[in-house]
């Protein structure tokens, strides 16, 4: 979900619980468009991170500190002068706007009690942090907005602060049934867009959720809805807004596979193909979501060259496979040529010179068959020609069958490397994958006398019953886990017939509870190409029955008489042990 008014409402509720009546003990400005406030209360101190970045505006509570510049910027110095040691007396959100207003009580130079306002606007590229007096007169802002930049509102010292109403949206918390219907009827666009463009604070995702809860197609224009449907939609809209009014929030992140897709302050039931992971506070959601998003973005940028190498090789091998399959299909008639040759040897004596065909009984099928002939050749020469065709196509079939198997293995291998790039979390993970591609000849190795060392290690989880479970993030780790780390009686799991991680469960030499097998199956499903599916078939077997095929790529194994289970990809109940 975008950083909409609903998310802001959840943040305001949390901030009132954590910061109200607290005193501002430290004010820092780590970046040109960021503030980091330390607020002290009798039960401890909290840090509030505020960013007015055009690309990523944020506000949330955090435990992390950030280094500040040696010389504080002017805006930071101004805030320290006015509100250092000030008490936060109110934290409010006007309507469902993406705005948070902190009212701060402090003593001025004469020792008189005064109030100031720190206004945080989370509005995409127009985000700002504005400092005002009690009469809404702007004292300063972290970003100055002169008339040349905006014809709607100047944000400069001495100007009056007001909330711009450029979209003329209605307040969703105070909309009547008649007003709701009138707003939608006047919008010639899909229903979901009519909702988020007609009401303050709604994001496209929230609008989609309201349509889903109503059971109404979000792509329909409002003009096509009957009166009954509009009444039903308004009721669902009201129920949805009641949660916001009453402060009933469920902060969570929705994942598709390993990647966070959306965060939300309320349930998003329409995201049926995603896994929901709940959090205690919206601040935890935001810090986790953007930390993971930033890490994934950074790793993807750094892995782009490797992805290009793998994708190019995959496309080349898939084209090769298609060509080889077509060539193999051309050898399907080879046995017919053998039969033609044998029948010519048997019945050729009865042919007259210059005959163009032979009709004879095929003693393999007891059916009559007609064999085309070259009238310029004798029956023996025609038979020899068919045997030569048969032998040539037989050799082609045998060679192509072997080549197709090699190409299939190469495609499977490259798909496994592609999956490993999706699982990579750190630059060390990428370095290990690059080393693997170097060993396979896909990446040219840089000459170095030093042996490459990796800090990349398998993922480590703890089952609900206390059993250690390990997940390989790439083929080299899969190989190490299965053939060096695991003992014979440990259990091995892998998603059936798709690229994915090897999962090893340390059995501790005892019979494990059924729940351990279910949870290990979830891990194998989650860390596979089928991540995000509701049902994934997973093979499992004791490690001692796993065999390595000589000459095969790392991570490739064979096994027989395995067990199978069906698992989903929800691993939220499992505890991940951080890397040491």
């Amino acid at each position: 979900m975008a950083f909409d008014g609903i998310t802001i409402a959840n943040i305001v509720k949390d901030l009132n619980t954590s910061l109200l009546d607290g005193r501002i003990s430290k004010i820092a400005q780590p970046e040109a468009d960021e503030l980091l406030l330390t607020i002290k209360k009798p039960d401890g101190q909290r840090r509030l991170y505020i960013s007015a970045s055009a690309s990523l505006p944020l506000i949330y509570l955090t435990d992390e500190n950030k280094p500040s510049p040696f010389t504080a910027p002017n805006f930071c110095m101004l805030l320290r002068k006015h509100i250092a040691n000030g008490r936060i007396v109110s934290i409010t959100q006007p309507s469902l706007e993406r705005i948070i207003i902190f009212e701060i009580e402090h003593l001025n130079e004469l020792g008189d009690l005064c109030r100031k306002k720190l206004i945080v606007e989370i509005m995409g590229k127009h985000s700002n942090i504005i400092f005002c007096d009690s009469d809404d007169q702007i004292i300063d802002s972290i970003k100055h907005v002169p008339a040349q930049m905006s014809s709607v509102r100047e944000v400069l010292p001495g100007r009056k602060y007001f909330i711009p109403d450029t979209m003329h949206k209605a307040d969703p918390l105070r909309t009547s049934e008649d007003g709701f219907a009138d707003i939608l009827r006047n919008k010639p666009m899909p229903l979901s867009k009519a909702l988020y463009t007609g009401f303050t604070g709604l994001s496209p995702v929230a609008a989609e959720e309201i349509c889903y809860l109503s059971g109404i197609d979000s792509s329909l224009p409002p003009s096509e809805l009957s009166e009954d449907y509009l009444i039903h939609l308004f009721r669902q809209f009201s129920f949805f807004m009641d949660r916001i009014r009453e402060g009933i929030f469920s902060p969570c992140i929705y994942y598709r596979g390993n990647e966070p897709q959306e965060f939300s302050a309320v349930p998003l039931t329409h995201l049926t193909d995603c896994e929901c992971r709940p959090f205690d506070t919206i601040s935890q959601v935001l810090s986790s979501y953007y930390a993971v998003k930033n890490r994934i973005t950074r790793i993807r940028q750094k892995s782009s060259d490797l992805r290009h190498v793998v994708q190019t090789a995959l496309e080349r091998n898939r084209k090769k496979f298609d060509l080889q399959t077509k060539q193999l299909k051309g050898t399907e008639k080879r046995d017919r040529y053998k039969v033609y040759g044998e029948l010519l040897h048997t019945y050729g004596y009865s042919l007259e010179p210059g005959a163009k065909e032979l009709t004879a009984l095929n003693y393999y099928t007891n059916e009559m068959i007609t064999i085309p002939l070259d009238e310029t050749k004798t029956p023996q020469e025609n038979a020899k020609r068919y045997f030569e065709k048969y032998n040539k196509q037989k050799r082609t079939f045998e060679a192509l069958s072997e080549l197709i198997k090699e190409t299939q293995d190469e495609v499977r291998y490259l798909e496994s490397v592609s999956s490993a790039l999706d699982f990579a979390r750190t630059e060390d993970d990428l370095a290990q994958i690059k080393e693997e591609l170097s060993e396979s000849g896909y990446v040219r190795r840089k000459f170095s006398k030093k042996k490459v060392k990796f800090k990349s290690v398998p993922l480590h989880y703890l089952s609900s019953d206390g059993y250690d479970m390990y997940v390989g993030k790439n083929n080299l780790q899969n190989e190490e886990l299965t053939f060096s780390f695991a003992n014979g009686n440990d259990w091995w799991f892998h998603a059936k017939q798709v690229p994915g991680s090897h999962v090893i469960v340390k059995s501790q030499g005892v019979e494990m509870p059924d729940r351990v097998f279910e949870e290990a199956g979830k891990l194998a499903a989650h860390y596979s190409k089928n991540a995000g599916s509701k049902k994934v078939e997973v093979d499992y077997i004791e490690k001692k029955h796993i065999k390595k095929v000589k000459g095969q790529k790392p991570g490739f194994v064979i096994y027989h008489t395995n067990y199978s289970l069906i698992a989903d990809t929800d691993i939220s109940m499992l505890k991940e042990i951080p890397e040491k």
Side-chain angles (χ1 to χ4, degrees):
M1 182 181 282
F3 218 114
D4 62 1
I6 297 170
T7 303
I8 295 293
N10 193 172
I11 291 170
V12 168
K13 181 189 176 186
D14 286 0
L15 295 183
N16 271 298
T17 303
S18 303
L19 303 183
L20 200 62
D21 287 329
R23 291 199 173 271
I24 301 173
S25 64
K26 290 181 183 178
I27 303 171
Q29 191 174 343
E31 302 290 343
D33 51 11
E34 290 180 0
L35 285 181
L36 190 62
L37 307 181
T38 303
I39 293 99
K40 282 191 175 179
K41 290 189 71 175
D43 59 346
Q45 70 175 26
R46 279 95 172 168
R47 287 194 182 94
L48 179 64
Y49 172 74
I50 309 171
S51 170
S53 163
S55 59
L56 191 60
L58 286 170
I59 177 169
Y60 59 83
L61 293 167
T62 180
D63 295 326
E64 296 180 8
N65 201 357
K66 291 186 76 172
S68 299
F70 184 75
T71 303
N74 291 337
F75 186 66
C76 179
M77 295 296 289
L78 179 74
L79 292 181
R80 288 175 181 176
K81 174 186 174 183
H82 284 279
I83 59 173
N85 205 38
R87 183 172 68 91
I88 299 174
V89 294
S90 75
I91 306 171
T92 56
Q93 174 190 21
S95 179
L96 208 60
E97 296 281 359
R98 291 173 293 167
I99 296 171
I100 301 176
I101 301 174
F102 295 85
E103 194 167 1
I104 301 160
E105 191 176 70
H106 69 102
L107 296 174
N108 65 11
E109 296 91 338
L110 302 175
D112 297 327
L113 202 59
C114 300
R115 290 196 175 187
K116 298 287 191 304
K117 293 178 182 178
L118 189 66
I119 303 171
V120 180
E121 297 184 339
I122 305 293
M123 297 181 176
K125 64 180 181 180
H126 304 297
S127 298
N128 210 337
I129 304 170
I130 305 168
F131 186 51
C132 300
D133 64 17
S134 56
D135 297 321
D136 291 332
Q137 200 83 7
I138 298 174
I139 300 172
D140 205 353
S141 59
I142 206 162
K143 294 179 186 174
H144 287 182
V145 183
Q148 297 92 322
M149 290 176 63
S150 172
S151 59
V152 177
R153 179 186 68 164
E154 285 185 310
V155 182
L156 294 170
R159 299 291 192 270
K160 193 78 172 177
Y161 173 80
F162 65 92
I163 300 170
D165 185 18
T166 56
M167 302 294 290
H168 307 293
K169 294 184 178 183
D171 183 349
L173 301 175
R174 295 178 176 83
T175 300
S176 66
E177 187 175 319
D178 291 339
F180 178 81
D182 290 341
I183 289 167
L184 293 185
R185 284 197 189 100
N186 291 324
K187 289 189 174 291
M189 56 186 68
L191 180 58
S192 61
K193 187 174 182 181
L195 284 168
Y196 70 76
T197 58
F199 296 95
T200 302
L202 289 187
S203 65
V205 177
E208 196 69 38
E209 177 66 13
I210 292 168
C211 294
Y212 183 82
L213 292 171
S214 306
I216 300 174
D217 187 349
S218 62
S219 64
L220 286 174
S223 58
E224 292 187 12
L225 298 181
S226 66
E227 194 70 30
D228 289 342
Y229 272 108
L230 280 172
I231 292 170
H232 174 63
L233 179 64
F234 178 71
R235 284 176 182 165
Q236 291 299 327
F237 179 84
S238 298
F239 293 150
F240 189 83
M241 287 301 152
D242 283 344
R243 292 180 62 100
I244 315 305
R245 273 188 286 267
E246 295 165 16
I248 302 172
F249 298 105
S250 306
C252 56
I253 299 177
Y254 287 85
Y255 285 80
R256 186 175 290 119
N258 301 320
E259 187 172 348
Q261 297 297 309
E262 295 285 354
F263 68 85
S264 180
V266 293
L268 298 176
T269 55
H270 72 279
L271 297 179
T272 53
D273 62 337
C274 291
E275 170 198 340
C276 176
R277 298 184 193 174
F279 288 77
D280 293 332
T281 68
I282 193 69
S283 288
Q284 291 174 357
V285 164
L286 295 171
S287 58
S288 175
Y289 180 85
Y290 285 107
V292 173
K293 269 287 186 186
N294 290 341
R295 173 176 56 78
I296 288 173
T297 302
R298 187 178 70 253
I299 292 299
R300 281 198 170 163
Q301 288 170 346
K302 290 183 177 294
S303 68
S304 58
D305 289 345
L306 294 179
R307 287 181 186 276
H308 179 70
V309 168
V310 172
Q311 197 57 38
T312 302
L314 255 176
E315 289 173 5
R316 186 170 62 246
N317 277 280
R318 283 170 179 159
K319 286 179 182 177
K320 187 196 297 184
F321 175 77
D322 290 340
L323 181 62
Q324 290 170 342
T325 304
K326 286 178 184 176
Q327 290 174 334
L328 188 69
K329 198 168 184 180
T331 67
E332 288 176 350
K333 295 181 180 179
R334 64 189 181 282
D335 288 332
R336 184 186 300 179
Y337 296 140
K338 181 182 179 184
V339 171
Y340 285 177
E342 290 178 352
L343 292 179
L344 280 169
H345 273 317
T346 304
Y347 301 114
Y349 66 90
S350 62
L351 282 171
E352 295 180 1
K356 294 184 178 181
E357 61 182 31
L358 168 67
T359 301
L361 177 69
N362 182 354
Y363 42 71
Y364 289 106
T365 61
N366 285 324
E367 295 175 350
M368 297 303 291
I369 189 172
T370 299
I371 303 171
L373 300 174
D374 182 347
E375 67 269 24
T376 64
K377 297 182 184 294
T378 65
Q380 290 74 20
E381 288 173 335
N382 273 294
K384 181 182 178 184
R385 180 168 64 90
Y386 278 123
F387 280 128
E388 285 174 348
K389 272 190 174 185
Y390 163 72
N391 286 321
K392 182 180 180 182
Q393 291 200 0
K394 181 186 175 186
R395 289 192 300 271
T396 302
F397 172 80
E398 290 170 350
L400 281 172
S401 297
E402 185 64 31
L403 287 172
I404 285 173
K405 184 180 180 303
E406 290 175 5
T407 306
Q408 283 178 317
D409 288 344
E410 205 63 26
V411 168
R412 282 174 56 218
Y413 169 70
L414 290 165
E415 285 177 343
S416 72
V417 177
S418 180
S419 293
L421 287 168
D422 292 335
F423 302 150
R425 294 188 177 186
T426 65
E427 292 184 34
D428 280 328
D429 292 341
L430 295 180
Q432 195 167 30
I433 294 170
K434 187 174 182 179
E435 176 68 14
E436 179 187 339
L437 289 170
S438 297
E439 291 176 1
S440 300
Y442 286 105
V443 174
R444 185 177 296 177
R445 189 195 300 273
K446 291 182 180 178
F447 177 76
S448 175
K449 292 182 178 179
K450 293 183 179 179
K451 189 176 180 181
V452 181
K453 292 183 179 180
F454 304 106
K455 293 180 182 177
S456 176
V457 295
L459 301 173
H460 182 192
Y461 286 86
L462 200 63
S463 78
S464 302
D465 295 286
Y467 287 83
D468 292 303
M469 302 187 289
Y470 296 88
V471 182
K473 287 183 281 186
N474 54 58
N475 289 320
L476 294 178
Q477 287 185 11
N478 288 338
E479 182 94 357
E480 177 76 16
L481 264 182
T482 301
F483 295 108
S484 299
F485 178 76
N487 297 323
N489 292 327
D490 293 336
W491 285 86
W492 180 93
F493 294 75
H494 192 281
K496 190 178 185 71
Q497 294 180 346
V498 293
S501 297
H502 293 199
V503 176
I504 294 292
V505 181
K506 301 298 286 182
S507 67
Q508 303 172 12
V510 299
E511 186 175 342
M512 300 190 304
D514 289 345
R515 183 164 60 174
V516 180
F517 289 89
E518 293 168 4
E519 291 175 351
K522 287 173 180 283
L523 274 178
H526 184 83
Y527 289 100
S528 77
K529 192 178 180 181
N530 287 342
S533 301
K534 289 186 177 178
K535 292 182 179 180
V536 179
E537 188 173 359
V538 175
D539 288 344
Y540 64 102
I541 190 172
E542 282 186 296
K543 182 267 167 183
K544 61 188 174 187
H545 300 300
I546 300 288
K547 305 297 179 189
K548 169 77 176 165
V549 183
K550 189 175 181 181
Q552 272 283 20
K553 294 282 198 305
F556 280 58
V557 300
I558 57 169
Y559 52 91
H560 306 285
T561 64
N562 59 283
Y563 305 95
S564 291
L565 58 83
I566 301 296
D568 58 40
T569 57
D570 179 12
I571 60 171
S572 57
M573 78 297 296
L574 298 177
K575 179 183 178 184
E576 184 175 354
I577 309 299
E579 181 183 333
K580 293 180 180 179

